[in-house]
């Protein structure tokens, strides 16, 4: 069915909350839902292509910031309360988000 502006905004907010709470697996599940919505722009009621692009770009910026923060802290740039597992989770999130986004916008034809 159709997906409206508020569904799009809600999914973006859930991803942001999950990332802030370091719930990276849950964030990825919701991000994939967001990408699924974006992959069918004709079903997006009230969401302009510009808003879709801005929303995805914002998610990529957030993931980049999480990754860079974890990398900076783990490489001696500061005192980190993060465990190696959290650093690995942040790296995995970054890879999954970038790969999923790339796959949506630039699918491989085999």
């Amino acid at each position: 069915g159709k997906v409206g502006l508020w569904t799009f905004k809600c999914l973006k907010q859930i991803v942001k909350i999950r990332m802030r709470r370091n719930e990276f697996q849950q964030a990825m599940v919701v991000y994939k839902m967001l990408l699924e919505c974006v992959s069918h722009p004709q079903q997006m009621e009230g969401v302009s292509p510009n808003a879709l692009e801005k929303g995805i770009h914002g998610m990529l910026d957030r993931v980049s910031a999480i990754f860079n923060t974890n990398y900076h802290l783990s490489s001696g740039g500061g005192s980190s309360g993060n465990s190696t597992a959290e650093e690995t989770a942040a790296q995995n999130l970054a890879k999954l988000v970038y790969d999923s986004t790339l796959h949506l916008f630039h699918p491989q034809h085999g």
Side-chain angles (χ1 to χ4, degrees):
K2 298 275 185 185
V3 177
L5 176 63
W6 291 107
T7 302
F8 179 71
K9 287 183 175 191
C10 180
L11 290 172
K12 284 191 335 181
Q13 290 304 316
I14 292 170
V15 173
K16 290 177 195 177
I17 290 167
R18 295 290 192 183
M19 286 183 188
R20 267 189 233 124
R21 296 179 68 180
N22 292 333
E23 297 171 351
F24 298 133
Q25 281 188 326
Q26 296 91 335
M28 194 60 214
V29 169
V30 180
Y31 184 72
K32 284 185 178 183
M33 292 170 66
L34 182 67
L35 288 179
E36 181 63 28
C37 291
V38 171
S39 71
H40 304 295
Q42 69 278 8
Q43 295 181 0
M44 300 289 290
E45 289 185 353
V47 185
S48 71
N50 204 26
L52 293 174
E53 183 180 339
K54 184 179 174 187
I56 297 300
H57 184 76
M59 290 295 118
L60 295 174
D61 283 348
R62 287 181 188 285
V63 169
S64 178
I66 289 169
F67 178 77
N68 288 334
T69 298
N70 276 286
Y71 177 78
H72 176 72
L73 293 174
S74 67
S75 64
S79 173
S80 173
N82 292 346
S83 68
T84 302
E86 287 174 351
E87 292 164 3
T88 301
Q91 291 169 350
N92 288 339
L93 173 70
K95 182 174 179 355
L96 286 171
V97 166
Y98 287 123
D99 287 350
S100 297
T101 305
L102 185 63
H103 180 71
L104 173 66
F105 291 106
H106 301 284
Q108 302 274 331
H109 297 288

